[in-house]
Amino acid sequence: MEQRAEWDVAVIGAGPAGLAAANAAAAAGARTIVFERAEHPRYKTCGGGLMGASLAAVADLDRLPERDRIDAATFTLHGRREYTRRHREPLIAMVLRDEFDDALRRRAEAAGAVVRQRTAVRGVAQDSPGAAAVRLADGTEVTARAVVGADGSAGVSARHVGAEFGQVDLGLEKEIEVPASVAGEWRGRVLLDWGRRPGSYGWVFPKGDRLTVGVIATRGQGEWTKAYLSEFVARLKLSSFPVLQDSGHLTRCRTDDSPLRRGRVLVTGDAAGLLEPWTREGISFALRSGRFAGEAAAKAAVADSPAAADSALEEYVTDVHRVLVPEMRAGRAFLTAFSKHTAVFHAGLATPKGQRMFGRLSRSEITYAEIAAKPSVRRAVALLGR
């Protein structure tokens, strides 16, 4: 006999993936609860760039808390060979994650979701048919017909499902407060610097009165990555300004066969290792996978049989493999070629064709998978990746 669940959908984690799932589930009529260990608004280490796919996913927000809209990009190779290209249409929008995530929280609550903040989750169990149990830090359990795990790659959801991660990178970041004169120099423009180590790069993202300056490289190069960030900040003559936040995080990409669900528990966003391997962009993957998970969980909650619920939840896996996995595979191929021939990519991006492709990718008018499928690109990437 199936257990009567307290909730239709329980979501663990109130970042973009979890709140996208909660919004989708609640909008579909599911009784939805979200557990978040911190309290919004809270700082989150993140570049905070919203590309076209992310902007489309949050088009229904009452107000997007953007700090800047980018239409120009500067590129450097190890700090040299600088060029800047300006685009007629905006490339990305810049947000602070504390403001952005809080806006997503309000949207989910407006749809009917209940968000319980300062509530840590210690475990997940599936001992009863028809429901899963979320065990909270105070020892109580909350049951739901489906659980969406969005608590990061090191969270309880990923462990419960058995998520496996291949590529792991270390990102370091500083939020630097700058005077109006410096902010004006960066308004509407980002900088991307290709690092000396394979696959590494640095960035400057303007956000009004502050700049987000960061670098990323393969894990295991901690001292070099710290030195890269320090040198990068000094090179840009930003060392004298106040640092509001100084933080780091690991990004983990799933392996090709990593599970996305176990029974009635789905993992999404970072908990599933869903991000683009080359740029390590994860917000669009979090928002899209979260929506897929919320929609599938809401369908499972009203299913009239265990088989129907299982089929509904499997739709999430199908959607991820249909939409997101091809982008990840293409991104991984680009990363391999980029790591071996960074200077070639730098020169290619300087061309009109390279910039058109960069602009279309940024606005999500074309995907990595679609670019990789072009015969000329496929041959070039295969050759450079050898």
Side-chain angles (χ1 to χ4, degrees):
M1 181 177 178
E2 289 195 2
Q3 174 181 338
R4 169 63 179 172
E6 301 168 67
W7 296 88
D8 294 326
V9 179
V11 179
I12 306 172
L19 291 170
N23 180 69
R31 297 171 300 134
T32 304
I33 188 168
V34 183
F35 300 106
E36 166 58 38
R37 66 180 180 180
E39 184 174 3
H40 288 284
R42 79 281 191 271
Y43 176 76
K44 172 70 175 179
T45 305
C46 180
L50 302 185
M51 57 190 301
S54 297
L55 292 172
V58 298
D60 59 340
L61 281 179
D62 289 339
R63 184 185 69 84
L64 178 67
E66 65 179 295
R67 290 296 188 100
D68 204 344
R69 187 66 67 118
I70 305 301
D71 62 9
T74 297
F75 302 85
T76 55
L77 178 67
H78 320 325
R80 299 176 291 110
R81 303 186 190 178
E82 177 178 324
Y83 59 84
T84 298
R85 299 290 184 267
R86 190 165 295 277
H87 293 250
R88 293 180 180 178
E89 299 178 70
L91 298 169
I92 56 175
M94 301 307 311
V95 296
L96 294 174
R97 278 291 303 276
D98 53 354
E99 296 174 348
F100 181 63
D101 289 9
D102 201 36
L104 295 179
R105 175 191 62 82
R106 294 193 299 271
R107 181 182 70 163
E109 290 179 330
V114 174
V115 180
R116 289 181 55 180
Q117 304 190 75
R118 293 192 176 278
T119 305
V121 173
R122 293 288 181 258
V124 181
Q126 300 189 72
D127 300 325
S128 302
V134 175
R135 179 167 53 83
L136 306 181
D138 62 6
T140 60
E141 284 192 346
V142 177
T143 59
R145 305 246 2 230
V147 172
V148 177
D151 50 340
S153 58
V156 298
S157 304
R159 291 197 299 273
H160 178 80
V161 171
E164 297 178 355
F165 308 102
Q167 176 186 331
V168 183
D169 299 291
L170 171 64
L172 301 177
E173 189 174 271
K174 294 179 185 289
E175 294 279 354
I176 301 177
E177 186 177 33
V178 294
S181 58
V182 175
E185 294 174 6
W186 287 98
R187 187 173 298 115
R189 178 174 66 95
V190 300
L191 183 148
L192 298 174
D193 175 68
W194 313 126
R196 295 185 181 277
R197 295 286 176 91
S200 65
Y201 76 96
W203 62 85
V204 179
F205 290 161
K207 299 172 183 176
D209 61 352
R210 68 187 68 185
L211 302 175
T212 297
V213 184
V215 299
I216 196 163
T218 304
R219 184 179 65 171
Q221 307 177 90
E223 291 305 314
W224 181 86
T225 308
K226 291 178 184 177
Y228 179 20
L229 179 57
S230 296
E231 181 271 333
F232 189 43
V233 171
R235 184 205 312 162
L236 297 169
K237 297 180 172 56
L238 299 173
S239 301
S240 62
F241 301 122
V243 176
L244 304 175
Q245 298 284 348
D246 188 346
S247 59
H249 68 291
L250 292 176
T251 64
R252 297 178 171 91
C253 283
R254 68 188 295 272
T255 59
D256 283 339
D257 57 354
S258 178
L260 294 165
R261 62 170 288 222
R262 175 183 171 189
R264 290 180 176 262
V265 179
L266 312 176
V267 284
T268 186
D270 288 345
L274 294 170
L275 67 154
E276 195 279 296
W278 181 16
T279 63
R280 289 79 156 185
E281 189 277 324
I283 296 179
S284 73
F285 284 76
L287 292 169
R288 290 178 290 175
S289 64
R291 177 173 63 83
F292 294 155
E295 290 171 347
K299 289 181 181 179
V302 296
D304 56 7
S305 70
D310 183 75
S311 178
L313 294 172
E314 193 61 23
E315 288 183 18
Y316 167 66
V317 178
T318 300
D319 285 339
V320 169
H321 279 274
R322 174 178 56 85
V323 178
L324 303 181
V325 168
E327 293 188 40
M328 294 184 68
R329 287 176 178 161
R332 192 172 294 119
F334 281 120
L335 174 63
T336 299
F338 169 78
S339 298
K340 295 180 178 181
H341 298 279
T342 308
V344 174
F345 273 76
H346 183 66
L349 273 173
T351 65
K353 184 176 181 179
Q355 280 300 301
R356 284 196 298 272
M357 192 169 295
F358 176 75
R360 294 189 69 197
L361 274 172
S362 299
R363 293 187 292 270
S364 300
E365 296 169 355
I366 192 171
T367 68
Y368 286 96
E370 289 169 338
I371 292 176
K374 296 179 180 294
S376 59
V377 175
R378 184 171 63 247
R379 288 192 295 269
V381 170
L383 179 63
L384 293 173
R386 288 178 183 172

